[in-house]
Amino acid sequence: MLTTRVLRSLYSTSATISNHTLIQFHSFVCFFLFVYCCMPPFSQMFQKEVIESVMDITLSSAEGTCADVETVSIADLGCSSGRNTLSVVENVIRTVCERRREAMRQLPEFMVFLNDLPSNDFNALFSLVPEFEQKLKAEHDDGGGILVSVAGAPGSFYGRRFPSSSLHFVTSFTSLHWLSQVPAGLLNKGEPINKGNVYMSPASSPSVVTRYFEQFQEDFSMFLRSRSQELVVGGRMVLSMLGRRSHDIHKKINEFPLYEALSKSLSIFVSQKMIAEEKVDSFNFPLYTPSTQELEDQVYREGSFTIDSMKQYYHDWMFENAPNVLSKTFRAATESLICHHFGEEIIEPLFETHTRVLYERLMAGEGIGWCQITVVLCKSATR
């Protein structure tokens, strides 16, 4: 994991809003999200639920895309480095091979690209590859064997990462809701316009919500343009991200309460004079949870893909220990950024308060779930 010192330097530099630094800032934030998804025992529940909810649609998409390809190229964007990293790719390969065998056809070769940030622990990830390859070879050794080549592809996915028309299948889980930067325009003549919030919330002004939406439009369009050049015609992407159920961007509801609970926790600290109010007002997360309509609109406007399917899931964690579990996974994802902005000494009491706020929400019957959107896109022949 990166040191706090490196993250502090990064976060400070991101305030200059240069394109290179902002992409790197996005990348480091994504890195911490995926780190927490691999930290037992708290986040494994979250990760397992996300993967299981989209596995069927992932495998059916891979089956249709790779049916007639001799060398199948797969890219996993935001792969992380834990033991669950290769599970989705493993199941995709297994499904394609089973369908080829049922049709009495020769098994394809596989080229797997694992994409994450340069700071990702690729050494730990690659140490898992020999076992991964041997397992697949043992399952599908019919005399001719199976060839699976694995390569790292470090860098942000907000931009080109692979050669033109080189990919057949792309997956990305729990990553695309992160923006490439904190939206510009959250300061008006040096004054913050999202006071008391760390993300857009029911308490945020319409202008704040608009700034976040505009940044999402810019980033997601860049992502689609980049992938449209890298995928072959007919290639598919399975993308799963946090989202929201309401199509009304300005509707005063909160569908992902972990950030609002953090805002409330910080406001308690302000009232107790443990944190300066100005510190809270100047802190915002680079995150956007789109609706299905917003995703559909962006796909249509970019024009390179058709939507095979789009599903929305709601995970409502109403069990007694849910606040503790979610607060710990949230802490793992955000701690370094919070440490830099507010100081390390605040972390323990802040997340104790965060857990308590979530418990209060749960006891009030409000729920502490989240919305997840999975979309399957097919590269069209129009571009």
Side-chain angles (χ1 to χ4, degrees):
M1 180 178 290
L2 293 180
T3 63
T4 301
R5 178 178 59 80
V6 173
L7 275 169
R8 286 177 175 175
S9 174
L10 172 67
Y11 193 89
S12 300
T13 309
S14 70
T16 64
I17 317 185
S18 69
N19 288 338
H20 173 75
T21 302
L22 292 173
I23 289 174
Q24 293 303 313
F25 175 69
H26 153 78
S27 298
F28 278 90
V29 173
C30 286
F31 168 68
F32 278 100
L33 180 66
F34 277 93
V35 164
Y36 94 75
C37 282
C38 299
M39 291 177 61
F42 306 107
S43 60
Q44 288 185 353
M45 295 176 65
F46 179 93
Q47 186 187 39
K48 185 174 184 290
E49 191 165 342
V50 169
I51 290 177
E52 287 183 351
S53 66
V54 301
M55 185 57 72
D56 287 345
I57 195 171
T58 301
L59 296 182
S60 62
S61 299
E63 181 181 347
T65 302
C66 308
D68 299 313
V69 180
E70 293 184 2
T71 301
V72 177
S73 296
I74 303 169
D76 184 9
L77 307 183
C79 63
S80 187
S81 58
R83 284 206 161 267
N84 289 326
T85 294
L86 295 168
S87 61
V88 174
V89 172
E90 179 182 327
N91 280 291
V92 168
I93 293 174
R94 182 178 293 115
T95 297
V96 172
C97 288
E98 287 175 354
R99 297 301 174 265
R100 290 290 185 96
R101 184 171 285 108
E102 289 172 0
M104 301 183 69
R105 300 183 58 188
Q106 183 177 352
L107 299 184
E109 298 178 342
F110 294 90
M111 183 70 234
V112 177
F113 297 101
L114 301 176
N115 161 256
D116 212 312
L117 315 176
S119 55
N120 188 49
D121 192 350
F122 282 99
N123 286 333
L125 176 57
F126 290 147
S127 70
L128 304 174
V129 170
E131 179 183 348
F132 163 76
E133 292 177 335
Q134 289 301 319
K135 183 178 180 181
L136 288 170
K137 288 179 180 178
E139 290 180 2
H140 303 286
D141 189 0
D142 55 358
I146 179 174
L147 176 64
V148 181
S149 297
V150 180
S156 172
F157 51 58
Y158 285 128
R160 290 290 303 276
R161 292 264 65 87
F162 307 99
S164 298
S165 301
S166 63
L167 300 178
H168 299 98
F169 193 68
V170 170
T171 62
S172 181
F173 296 105
T174 326
S175 186
L176 272 169
H177 45 262
W178 288 103
L179 300 172
S180 65
Q181 65 177 74
V182 175
L186 294 184
L187 293 177
N188 182 16
K189 297 180 180 179
E191 288 294 318
I193 64 173
N194 197 28
K195 292 185 177 182
N197 303 297
V198 298
Y199 176 52
M200 64 178 193
S201 78
S204 299
S205 68
S207 61
V208 169
V209 178
T210 298
R211 298 290 189 278
Y212 269 96
F213 177 58
E214 290 172 346
Q215 188 64 51
F216 158 74
Q217 288 181 306
E218 179 181 334
D219 288 345
F220 195 59
S221 293
M222 180 187 295
F223 177 87
L224 292 176
R225 288 196 303 271
S226 300
R227 304 294 85 76
S228 72
Q229 296 178 64
E230 296 164 352
L231 278 157
V232 300
V233 173
R236 284 177 172 82
M237 294 195 291
V238 179
L239 312 175
S240 190
M241 68 201 79
L242 297 177
R244 70 177 195 280
R245 290 174 289 180
S246 173
H247 294 316
D248 184 355
I249 189 176
H250 294 291
K251 191 173 182 179
K252 296 296 184 179
I253 60 173
N254 179 30
E255 297 193 45
F256 194 60
L258 295 180
Y259 290 88
E260 187 168 339
L262 182 63
S263 295
K264 186 174 181 178
S265 302
L266 289 169
S267 71
I268 292 173
F269 278 35
V270 169
S271 68
Q272 297 174 347
K273 301 188 183 305
M274 296 176 64
I275 300 177
E277 184 176 4
E278 294 77 13
K279 273 284 188 181
V280 177
D281 293 342
S282 62
F283 185 73
N284 294 280
F285 281 104
L287 179 92
Y288 188 81
T289 52
S291 68
T292 54
Q293 186 63 57
E294 289 167 352
L295 288 172
E296 184 177 339
D297 289 345
Q298 290 304 304
V299 172
Y300 176 78
R301 289 175 184 174
E302 195 280 328
S304 298
F305 296 91
T306 57
I307 299 176
D308 279 0
S309 66
M310 186 182 298
K311 292 187 177 182
Q312 183 175 274
Y313 310 82
Y314 190 74
H315 307 262
D316 198 357
W317 281 19
M318 297 294 289
F319 58 90
E320 183 179 356
N321 199 38
N324 186 48
V325 172
L326 286 176
S327 186
K328 281 183 167 60
T329 57
F330 183 70
R331 172 178 174 171
T334 61
E335 179 174 347
S336 292
L337 295 179
I338 295 172
C339 276
H340 162 63
H341 194 80
F342 296 104
E344 296 180 9
E345 66 281 357
I346 198 177
I347 291 298
E348 290 298 333
L350 178 63
F351 279 96
E352 288 175 4
T353 304
H354 184 258
T355 302
R356 187 171 68 250
V357 170
L358 290 176
Y359 268 115
E360 291 171 355
R361 182 182 178 93
L362 183 64
M363 293 301 101
E366 298 180 18
I368 51 173
W370 73 92
C371 177
Q372 173 195 346
I373 298 174
T374 300
V375 58
V376 180
L377 304 179
C378 179
K379 170 69 182 299
S380 64
T382 57
R383 290 191 178 185

